[in-house]
Amino acid sequence: MTALTIRRPDDWHLHLRDGAELAAVLPFSAARFARAIVMPNLKPAVTSTAQALDYRRRVLAALPAGAAFEPLMTLYLTDDTPAAEVERARASGCVFGFKLYPAGATTHSESGVTDIRHIMPVLERMAELGVVLQVHGEVTDPAVDVFEREPRFIERTLAPLVERLPQLRIVFEHITTRAAVNFVLGARAGVAATVTPQHLLMNRNALFAGGIRPHHYCAPVLKAEAERAALLSAVTRGSARFFLGTDSAPHARRAKETACGCAGIFSAHAGIELYAEAFEAAGALDKLEGFAARHGADFYGLPHNAATLTLVREPWKVPDHYPFGADQLVPLRAGERIAWRLAPPTARPHP
Ligand code: DOR
Ligand code: ZN
């Protein structure tokens, strides 16, 4: 196959940052995705509906002329989030979820939730109103091995929560393990997961290939090959419980190439192309459209996009870096090739 046309996809997990960094990365996502859930882990975090609406305006203002891209906002849960915020969020029409970061789990999670018991009234209100909870699913206990933090989170927090609030709609974000795949497949209705391109294409060897590779470091960290294979097999079987969320997470080169580098992989420059590679490797390009353009919209109760996007099988070399405010941004596959290229957009509606 040399060309692949699919319904225009959405990115259900994206970090856009703010200011000059937002302006530097947004065009990549807007060229590919019709909508994206925009993560709220700014500094300070986006914890109120009013802040989310302001941030949404900044995203819209940073869009290139003629871009068709809708930012879908989510609020950052803290120990102090009031249950009334759920009503405000819902009434705004622009907020599509609340993000649970266990405090200390990842980049800018310091003001996250220290104990899920603190937010039970908020979660109960979300369940009543049908507002989605997006979960960074890792325990923060430093005694737990870093490769085991996702399975332990399922046992200690997620499985009990799913049972305790049977109406709560939950997206288990950026899953990385067979345990997470099995949990999602076996869970009650209303539980789904996003999967990143890096966790479908790379295993933890990529962190140490020829030396330490800070640009392959993200949270949750890359896992062993058997876990990667389980993820790829799950998404390419076509279950509607799995959908696209790049977790594209730009950091300045200076913040990555240092003694204590930040977690985050920037992938928005090839946010659909990388998935095409992964699905092609599994012989399942026919399953890409569901994963990228239908399952997520169905979960969030939003319409499918009418426009299409075409990829051509024409390898291209990724730049070594992109501009990023006063610094540089090193993208996934920097200096290497990607098998699929984005074709120029057409106005043709999906048949
Ligand atoms: O690798 C990551 N980077 N994981 C996250 O959960 C946050 C993200 C970021 O914001 O940089
Ligand atoms: Zn993320």
Side-chain angles (χ1 to χ4, degrees):
M1 186 184 288
T2 56
L4 174 68
T5 296
I6 58 170
R7 207 178 273 279
R8 201 154 169 243
D10 302 303
D11 185 348
W12 299 100
H13 187 133
L14 175 64
H15 298 270
L16 284 177
R17 313 305 189 205
D18 213 341
E21 298 184 347
L22 165 64
V25 298
L26 179 60
F28 294 108
S29 294
R32 289 163 178 78
F33 298 102
R35 298 170 289 203
I37 293 276
V38 180
M39 287 295 152
N41 59 335
L42 302 182
K43 270 192 153 168
V46 179
T47 55
S48 72
T49 304
Q51 286 172 311
L53 293 176
D54 276 348
Y55 185 29
R56 181 173 179 274
R57 278 188 278 275
R58 298 198 295 281
V59 173
L60 291 174
L63 277 172
F69 176 82
E70 191 188 347
L72 311 175
M73 311 316 287
T74 176
L75 300 190
Y76 184 116
L77 284 165
T78 72
D79 285 347
D80 303 319
T81 303
E85 199 61 52
V86 182
E87 277 120 83
R88 284 192 282 274
R90 169 116 196 170
S92 76
C94 296
V95 177
F96 292 82
F98 282 68
K99 176 77 186 277
L100 168 58
Y101 286 104
T106 185
T107 309
H108 303 166
S109 64
E110 310 74 50
S111 13
V113 174
T114 59
D115 188 322
I116 192 136
R117 283 174 294 195
H118 295 148
I119 57 164
M120 265 310 153
V122 185
L123 298 177
E124 283 162 9
R125 201 76 192 103
M126 289 169 64
E128 282 162 19
L129 296 183
V131 175
V132 172
L133 174 70
Q134 296 128 350
V135 182
H136 182 112
E138 290 190 286
V139 296
T140 53
D141 180 350
V144 175
D145 187 277
V146 71
F147 296 104
E148 294 299 321
R149 288 180 187 176
E150 187 174 277
R152 293 296 88 75
F153 184 87
I154 297 170
E155 296 155 15
R156 294 182 190 176
T157 305
L158 192 55
L161 178 66
V162 164
E163 293 315 312
R164 173 154 179 195
L165 296 177
Q167 300 302 319
L168 184 61
R169 301 184 62 70
I170 300 175
V171 180
F172 191 176
E173 299 290 341
H174 44 53
I175 60 168
T176 62
T177 58
R178 180 194 302 272
V181 165
N182 290 339
F183 175 76
V184 169
L185 286 174
R188 60 154 171 82
V191 177
T194 56
V195 186
T196 76
Q198 63 263 26
H199 293 105
L200 293 176
L201 288 165
M202 298 190 289
N203 63 40
R204 63 195 185 189
N205 286 352
L207 286 163
F208 310 109
I212 192 148
R213 300 292 198 118
H215 298 291
H216 289 165
Y217 174 55
C218 62
V221 72
L222 295 173
K223 300 297 191 298
E225 174 56 18
E227 312 288 339
R228 184 198 72 85
L231 285 178
L232 185 61
S233 157
V235 301
T236 55
R237 266 194 237 124
S239 162
R241 290 191 181 239
F242 302 109
F243 41 85
L244 185 157
T246 60
D247 199 16
S248 178
H251 288 279
R253 176 176 213 147
R254 198 186 348 237
K256 295 284 293 173
E257 298 177 8
T258 180
C260 187
C262 294
I265 294 179
F266 178 69
S267 61
H269 65 297
I272 185 67
E273 298 90 323
L274 290 160
Y275 286 105
E277 268 194 10
F279 277 67
E280 183 182 35
L285 276 174
D286 60 318
K287 297 294 195 302
L288 181 64
E289 185 182 73
F291 175 79
R294 289 199 309 267
H295 302 165
D298 291 343
F299 186 86
Y300 278 91
L302 294 169
H304 297 166
N305 300 310
T308 60
L309 169 145
T310 298
L311 294 169
V312 287
R313 207 181 185 302
E314 194 178 282
W316 57 288
K317 188 167 172 270
V318 177
D320 293 334
H321 48 79
Y322 292 108
F324 191 59
D327 206 310
Q328 291 177 344
L329 178 59
V330 179
L332 185 55
R333 291 277 176 87
E336 294 171 36
R337 287 154 86 84
I338 292 181
W340 291 84
R341 174 199 288 281
L342 195 64
T346 64
R348 208 159 40 85
H350 195 270

